[in-house]
Amino acid sequence: MTPGTVLLEAQHVTQRFRLPNGQNLEALRDVSLAVREQEVVALVGPSGCGKSTLLRLFAGLARPVEGKVLYRGQSLDGVLGAAAMVFQSFALLPWLTVAENVAMGLEARGVYGPARRDAVARAINLVGLDGFEQAYPKELSGGMKQRVGFARALAVAPEILLMDEPFGALDPLTAENLRSQVVDLWRDPATGVNTLVIVTHSVEEAVFLAGRIVVFGSNPGHVREEMTNPLPYPRQERSPEFEEMVDRLHAILTATLLPEPAPAAPQRLVPFPRVHVSEVTGLLDHLLTRPDGKGPVFELAEDLGVDYDRMSAVVRAAEQLGWVTTPGEIVQLTAAGREVMAMDDAARKDVTRARLAKQPLFARLVAMLKEGEGAVEDEEVLADLTIYFPFIPAESLFATLVEWGRYAELVDHDADAGRLMLLGWEGAAEARVE
Amino acid sequence: MKPLRLPSARPGLADVAILCLLGGVIATVVAFAREFEAPFAQAVRIDLRPAALPRYTLYSLSRGVLALVISYLFALGFGWAAAKSRAAERLLLPLLDILQSIPVLGFLPGLVLGLMSLFPTRNVGLELAAILMIFTAQAWNLALSFYNSLKALPPQLRDACKVAGWPPGRTFRQLEVPAAAQGLVWNGMLSMAGGWFFLMVNEAFRLGNRDYRLPGIGSYMSVALDQGNLRAAGLAITAMVVMIVCVDQLLWRPLVVWVEKFRLDESGDGGPAPSSWVLEFLRRARLPRGAAVFQRRAYRRARRAARPLERPFRAVGPIILRGPRFAFEHPVPRMVSVGLAIVAVAAAAALGAWRLWLLLAQLGWAEWAKLVSSAALTFARVMGAVILSTAWALPAGVVIGRSPRIARALQPVIQVVASFPAPMLFPLVILLFERISIGLGLGAVALMVLAGQWYILFNVISAVAAIPQQLKDATAAFRLPRWRRWRALYLPAAAPALVMGWVTAAGGAWNGSIVAEYIEAGGALRTTKGLGSLISEATADANFPLLAGGIALMSLIVVGWNRIVWRSLMEWARTRFGYAQ
């Protein structure tokens, strides 16, 4: 099927939110994207890159702060009637039966009486839920619930189906099964659906479903790259062409997630990735078991059972500590990394402390602590973090700093008094007694 | 067209019960309506014979239920407005805080005088005043509960309704109200109990040199006490207990079971699902199902009859709606209407403040000094009551909450006992105290314990019952001695709930002071110095400046104490002892 006219279009869209703590969060900046008839578009990228926000803009559930969203050249005014949506959390009303949930969108479209009953029956039949019409959602498994979600969307015979990580909350088996059914539904002219936009976390899913894959970068969300996927449907997940496509997308995503360090500007503060100590040691442990102590980041993610943006955060933390390098999408254990894994606990802590003290953010923190005679109020540090990293929740970054600082016996935190203390500092003892 | 027909069914015992109940409800409504529009009687003569008691009980019950209905309507509107508009939220939430702290006597003169001048010849005015006084004790926590439910609604569900194209009215009916149903029912139970608290004051009070009395169980009790008729007083207490048990079993239990359907989180807390024998019994009835079929058919028929009108209406609708749409959506009219609303609210607030100021300005220094010293005394009593309540309710709550078996057995009993309006017992307790020569000055503290203790007990029980089993197992596995177990696990786990309990218990004690420091029993009036007795006296003497001063001072103390002390204590208890990590 060849893409036709432009159906949905975002033109230079910027979206901002005000967080409860007063911070302003820019979810999207100057994003332009067109979705054409007969297309399947996948939006991928790290969490917090605004891909779900863009989907809500397409659905007309929110208005952009700047820029425009157009449907067939017309500016969107309110919810887009030509679209239906499938949610990650299913979003079924627990007090309505399956049939009533499926019928949710029909009355607003002027479908009543026998026509409504028919539409519900057809949609339920399409997703294979016959016999469950009178069940309540809580009686169904996750996969069944999402089928209801799809039936509810299909019942209104939408032109465009918007899906926000529709398989994210399902177990892998169920997800795979539903995924191939989505392709069938899209190819089936009886459903009326001819265009799909899907937000996903899974590379395989994007390659399996989409004809065009849009990769987002974060902080703030923007379009990094687009990739067309000409593989014919139905796609075979084990075929070499499919694997090659997956690798290409991996490469693009790696470039987004693990950018090569910029050569200049050494003074710039880099945030420390918000990962736990045990995750980094776990990664090093796993690399030790591999030949040459290396592996591609996506393979590591799969082997360790974490999603790829979490994995890349762990890799970035290990890289900042000098224990791995990342040539391309390969993660390589360094000599320092091997050494540290061979040490006993106390020596490992000493090395970590020395490494952390050189990390720019920790160096700044230590300087602050020294200036404050060995102790600083939490609020002061939080304010500092908010100024330097307006897009990262300061509390969670702070918690990471405290965890690593405590592990390396570099700093300590008094939760009751709400302040940080520098360990090994002469004034620290008195500051504590105070 | 087939004629409308009920599905053939054999009526069973449950159907008979339903018919009896329906008949009873209709009879009560008719009797109450008659009382409503009867010619005005300022102080109705109360018949102290036992045979008259059921009628009085039903009158009181009708007032409580009507007030609850009004409270629910208010809560839906208020909560919705506060959740939808940020400006409204900023205005309404602090207002709720203040309203919650005003004891019913603060509303009494305004309501009674205002409504009686509206309906000078009929009973309606006085009845409405009594109902609205009950309302002022019921409405606030319902409104807060609805607001909180709306705020906690998962955003995806809202999105799903929007994508489905539901208009706001339908989203309200099918998403927002069902999602809040559980909170509304549980809080309705609390409100009903709270509404009974001032039952005697609501039905029999003195304003200026006049006595007002409405037929009801509260005035029955107060007349019985006036005449020193202890037998009648005992009967009134029994009738009250019977009413509370009936309302609990016939109304609240079935409702609690039914709203389980509207639970949003599917996990459930693992506890046994609540059950209701009444609901089980009624589900066997055929009548409701038949009525539902009948209703559906009638509805369908009405739709079919209305169909010819539908098309013209659909064509005309947009034209009719053009005006309102313009007003709501065009920026200029929108700004004008918002501006007008702000001006109106500001004007009303300014007027209220001015009236209050005029009243307060009449108070001299001596009176203010008296107010403040009385407030200090009552404050000491409130704190004493909170400490005494904690002293018994905390250990008792831990013991009960620790064992699911005891908790399950005692919970319904405690609920009924807690719903009983403590002030009805005050005169009897005071007569008892006089036997052992304890004055009202100290005795009032005991009475205020009666008014506030249950909140502490309830909160501690539910907090201890919610302790994860693994933590209990851990303390057992490491063989912590009993006292260490309490200190390491039970007391910290109960701490946040205990503070919550203190907030409500102190509120209850402040409220209680009004009836605890000023008691008529055995035909004699007993008072002791305090803010509560000052307020009661000011009402009886129709000394409105003093009443306004007393009420303002009391709500100032309650709100201020909540804001400054309880809130920071709560914050501390939550961060220090909360489970959330």
Side-chain angles (χ1 to χ4, degrees):
Chain A
M1 285 180 236
T2 47
T5 51
V6 173
L7 265 186
L8 270 175
E9 189 175 10
Q11 290 181 338
H12 305 288
V13 160
T14 295
Q15 185 70 318
R16 284 186 218 99
F17 301 107
R18 181 174 280 281
L19 297 180
N21 64 4
Q23 249 173 295
N24 248 330
L25 180 74
E26 198 168 30
L28 290 172
R29 180 185 287 174
D30 193 23
V31 169
S32 297
L33 181 71
V35 178
R36 293 165 184 282
E37 226 165 21
Q38 308 294 347
E39 240 189 339
V40 181
V41 177
L43 313 179
V44 298
S47 45
C49 69
K51 47 195 196 300
S52 298
T53 307
L54 184 62
L55 201 72
R56 293 191 77 237
L57 290 176
F58 276 153
L61 287 168
R63 280 165 201 259
V65 176
E66 285 163 34
K68 270 193 282 191
V69 179
L70 307 176
Y71 167 70
R72 290 189 184 277
Q74 298 275 312
S75 204
L76 263 192
D77 179 27
V79 175
L80 176 60
M85 199 157 170
V86 178
F87 300 85
Q88 178 179 14
S89 57
F90 320 130
L92 304 175
L93 300 190
W95 40 86
L96 300 186
T97 61
V98 167
E100 287 165 340
N101 264 297
V102 171
M104 265 177 81
L106 288 169
E107 265 169 43
R109 287 168 171 82
V111 185
Y112 293 105
R116 191 171 80 168
R117 227 169 304 140
D118 288 349
V120 170
R122 209 179 52 241
I124 286 181
N125 177 266
L126 274 175
V127 298
L129 269 179
D130 311 70
F132 288 90
E133 289 85 353
Q134 296 311 314
Y136 283 98
K138 64 169 168 250
E139 303 171 89
L140 305 178
S141 68
M144 299 274 237
K145 278 183 205 157
Q146 195 56 301
R147 279 170 201 273
V148 180
F150 272 106
R152 177 172 65 185
L154 293 172
V156 299
E159 197 175 10
I160 309 162
L161 190 56
L162 304 170
M163 298 178 277
D164 190 359
E165 299 200 27
F167 315 115
L170 306 178
D171 61 281
L173 263 177
T174 312
E176 196 161 318
N177 172 257
L178 259 180
R179 205 150 60 196
S180 35
Q181 288 201 354
V182 167
V183 174
D184 296 342
L185 289 173
W186 171 62
R187 284 153 54 89
D188 181 359
T191 61
V193 180
N194 64 32
T195 304
L196 306 181
V197 182
I198 179 169
V199 165
T200 174
H201 232 81
S202 149
V203 170
E204 281 77 15
E205 199 168 292
V207 174
F208 185 82
L209 290 171
R212 191 151 59 95
I213 298 162
V214 185
V215 179
F216 279 70
S218 50
N219 294 341
H222 59 282
V223 175
R224 287 276 304 206
E225 211 159 330
E226 284 190 19
M227 184 180 120
T228 49
N229 178 3
L231 294 179
Y233 295 97
R235 292 171 175 166
Q236 304 299 323
E237 283 189 88
R238 295 280 162 252
S239 71
E241 298 85 26
F242 190 90
E243 302 264 337
E244 194 201 314
M245 213 34 126
V246 168
D247 287 344
R248 264 182 60 198
L249 184 52
H250 276 160
I252 295 174
L253 270 169
T254 313
T256 311
L257 296 169
L258 298 172
E260 298 301 324
Q267 293 92 338
R268 238 189 100 222
L269 271 188
V270 264
F272 195 75
R274 286 168 285 151
V275 298
H276 300 296
V277 177
S278 56
E279 288 177 300
V280 171
T281 46
L283 169 70
L284 300 185
D285 256 335
H286 180 70
L287 283 172
L288 275 178
T289 66
R290 290 175 155 263
D292 298 335
K294 66 178 182 183
V297 62
F298 287 98
E299 219 175 289
L300 296 176
E302 211 163 281
D303 287 357
L304 294 171
V306 289
D307 63 43
Y308 60 73
D309 59 306
R310 186 79 191 160
M311 192 73 243
S312 60
V314 176
V315 169
R316 267 182 285 134
E319 193 178 17
Q320 286 193 22
L321 294 166
W323 293 335
V324 300
T325 56
T326 56
E329 56 182 291
I330 303 296
V331 181
Q332 167 78 59
L333 197 59
T334 60
R338 274 181 200 283
E339 265 169 44
V340 81
M341 292 312 288
M343 291 172 178
D344 67 357
D345 223 34
R348 202 184 278 178
K349 282 186 181 224
D350 287 339
V351 173
T352 311
R353 177 158 62 242
R355 294 271 178 180
L356 275 186
K358 279 188 228 151
Q359 203 276 344
L361 183 53
F362 277 95
R364 186 182 163 76
L365 184 64
V366 169
M368 268 176 92
L369 284 163
K370 284 188 175 155
E371 207 174 294
E373 304 280 300
V376 171
E377 303 285 314
D378 286 0
E379 271 90 49
E380 223 173 299
V381 181
L382 283 169
D384 203 52
L385 293 176
T386 311
I387 291 168
Y388 277 98
F389 310 112
F391 300 121
I392 300 176
E395 282 83 7
S396 108
L397 184 55
F398 180 80
T400 305
L401 295 185
V402 169
E403 182 184 331
W404 280 87
R406 274 177 167 160
Y407 170 75
E409 295 177 19
L410 185 65
V411 296
D412 197 4
H413 183 231
D414 184 343
D416 292 331
R419 72 183 159 197
L420 272 175
M421 283 155 308
L422 188 58
L423 292 177
W425 170 263
E426 312 83 63
E430 289 115 74
R432 217 181 227 192
V433 171
E434 237 177 67
Chain B
M1 248 185 238
K2 268 188 289 178
L4 289 173
R5 190 162 51 87
L6 285 175
S8 62
R10 216 157 32 107
L13 211 53
D15 295 294
V16 176
I18 287 181
L19 284 179
C20 289
L21 259 177
L22 267 180
V25 169
I26 292 170
T28 309
V29 168
V30 168
F32 192 57
R34 209 171 278 160
E35 146 68 18
F36 231 70
E37 52 135 44
F40 176 65
Q42 185 179 300
V44 76
R45 243 187 63 81
I46 297 291
D47 182 357
L48 280 190
R49 280 174 310 175
L53 201 48
R55 190 165 55 93
Y56 289 140
T57 313
L58 284 178
Y59 281 158
S60 293
L61 178 63
S62 308
R63 283 186 203 109
V65 170
L66 261 177
L68 192 68
V69 170
I70 302 173
S71 297
Y72 270 124
L73 292 179
F74 167 83
L76 292 182
F78 190 99
W80 193 81
K84 281 295 147 86
S85 144
R86 282 193 75 129
E89 185 176 19
R90 246 175 253 158
L91 179 77
L92 293 180
L93 286 189
L95 185 68
L96 204 60
D97 230 21
I98 296 171
L99 284 172
Q100 226 167 359
S101 72
I102 298 180
V104 69
L105 288 190
F107 299 104
L108 187 146
L111 284 176
V112 170
L113 299 180
L115 285 167
M116 289 213 334
S117 66
L118 263 182
F119 306 97
T121 56
R122 302 267 148 194
N123 252 348
V124 189
L126 203 53
E127 284 285 355
L128 274 182
I131 288 169
L132 288 179
M133 281 192 275
I134 303 176
F135 161 86
T136 62
Q138 292 178 338
W140 322 125
N141 64 322
L142 282 175
L144 200 63
S145 152
F146 188 54
Y147 164 82
N148 285 333
S149 300
L150 287 186
K151 279 287 180 180
L153 205 57
Q156 281 89 1
L157 287 182
R158 260 185 209 296
D159 280 357
C161 294
K162 271 200 222 163
V163 170
W166 283 10
R170 186 160 184 206
T171 309
F172 183 74
R173 276 199 323 272
Q174 298 204 345
L175 174 69
E176 292 170 341
V177 172
Q182 273 203 308
L184 285 176
V185 166
W186 281 103
N187 278 285
M189 266 163 96
L190 294 180
S191 286
M192 198 75 179
W196 297 138
F197 190 80
F198 279 116
L199 186 65
M200 284 167 69
V201 178
N202 291 337
E203 288 178 352
F205 53 89
R206 182 176 301 143
L207 187 61
N209 48 8
R210 291 187 182 176
D211 268 320
Y212 293 90
R213 212 157 39 223
L214 283 167
I217 195 169
S219 44
Y220 184 97
M221 181 76 182
S222 74
V223 169
L225 288 169
D226 265 351
Q227 301 183 359
N229 186 342
L230 286 185
R231 206 177 69 93
L235 273 177
I237 289 174
T238 316
M240 193 72 206
V241 171
V242 169
M243 175 176 90
I244 288 171
V245 171
C246 284
V247 169
D248 182 69
Q249 291 296 315
L250 292 180
L251 181 67
W252 293 120
R253 282 291 118 197
L255 267 180
V256 163
V257 174
W258 181 68
V259 292
E260 275 294 299
K261 177 176 167 182
F262 300 107
R263 192 191 267 291
L264 261 180
D265 57 328
E266 288 170 15
S267 55
D269 45 8
S275 64
S276 155
W277 61 270
V278 175
L279 194 66
E280 288 295 308
F281 180 66
L282 290 185
R283 274 189 178 149
R284 264 183 264 150
R286 312 225 164 190
L287 216 52
R289 212 166 308 152
V293 170
F294 185 83
Q295 184 214 340
R296 217 165 341 171
R297 283 193 192 154
Y299 177 76
R300 215 175 289 156
R301 186 159 294 177
R303 282 291 297 257
R304 211 171 297 154
R307 191 148 300 163
L309 298 174
E310 234 165 62
R311 185 176 286 180
F313 187 76
R314 211 173 282 164
V316 173
I319 301 169
I320 298 172
L321 285 177
R322 198 170 286 161
R325 265 189 86 134
F326 175 78
F328 275 112
E329 283 167 14
H330 194 275
V332 173
R334 210 178 153 148
M335 251 153 64
V336 169
S337 58
V338 169
L340 278 179
I342 291 175
V343 167
V345 170
L351 187 70
W354 175 243
R355 296 286 287 275
L356 187 63
W357 171 249
L358 281 186
L359 276 177
L360 295 184
Q362 295 175 29
L363 293 175
W365 281 113
E367 279 156 317
W368 276 113
K370 195 170 146 203
L371 272 171
V372 170
S373 61
S374 314
L377 256 176
T378 301
F379 177 81
R381 285 196 192 105
V382 167
M383 288 303 139
V386 169
I387 292 169
L388 275 180
S389 308
T390 311
W392 85 264
L394 177 60
V398 171
V399 169
I400 296 172
R402 221 168 31 162
S403 143
R405 203 170 43 86
I406 303 180
R408 217 174 310 135
L410 283 185
Q411 198 92 339
V413 180
I414 297 176
Q415 243 162 36
V416 167
V417 175
S419 303
F420 187 86
M424 275 180 93
L425 296 178
F426 285 4
L428 300 179
V429 175
I430 281 309
L431 289 179
L432 195 77
F433 276 173
E434 270 167 12
R435 288 267 170 84
I436 50 175
S437 61
I438 295 178
L440 191 59
L442 270 180
V445 179
L447 298 182
M448 281 147 79
V449 168
L450 283 181
Q453 58 191 353
W454 304 112
Y455 302 108
I456 295 177
L457 186 68
F458 275 142
N459 276 294
V460 172
I461 290 179
S462 56
V464 172
I467 294 177
Q469 186 59 36
Q470 293 189 354
L471 287 183
K472 287 196 245 175
D473 290 349
T475 54
F478 291 111
R479 294 194 173 176
L480 289 191
R482 175 184 291 255
W483 168 234
R484 286 277 299 142
R485 216 178 281 188
W486 278 61
R487 249 190 38 195
L489 180 61
Y490 293 122
L491 298 184
L498 182 63
V499 179
M500 273 290 270
W502 283 344
V503 179
T504 14
W510 277 108
N511 251 335
S513 74
I514 290 174
V515 267
E517 294 173 347
Y518 183 95
I519 287 180
E520 286 183 83
L525 177 68
R526 297 163 180 78
T527 65
T528 180
K529 191 181 170 184
L531 194 55
S533 62
L534 212 61
I535 289 175
S536 287
E537 255 170 43
T539 311
D541 303 343
N543 182 350
F544 294 137
L546 192 65
L547 179 61
I551 296 282
L553 191 59
M554 191 180 273
S555 36
L556 190 74
I557 295 172
V558 172
V559 172
W561 191 259
N562 279 353
R563 286 273 156 116
I564 296 161
V565 180
W566 293 140
R567 192 168 289 183
S568 48
L569 207 57
M570 183 102 76
E571 197 68 28
W572 174 79
R574 265 204 200 125
T575 50
R576 187 71 181 72
F577 299 118
Y579 294 118
Q581 296 191 337

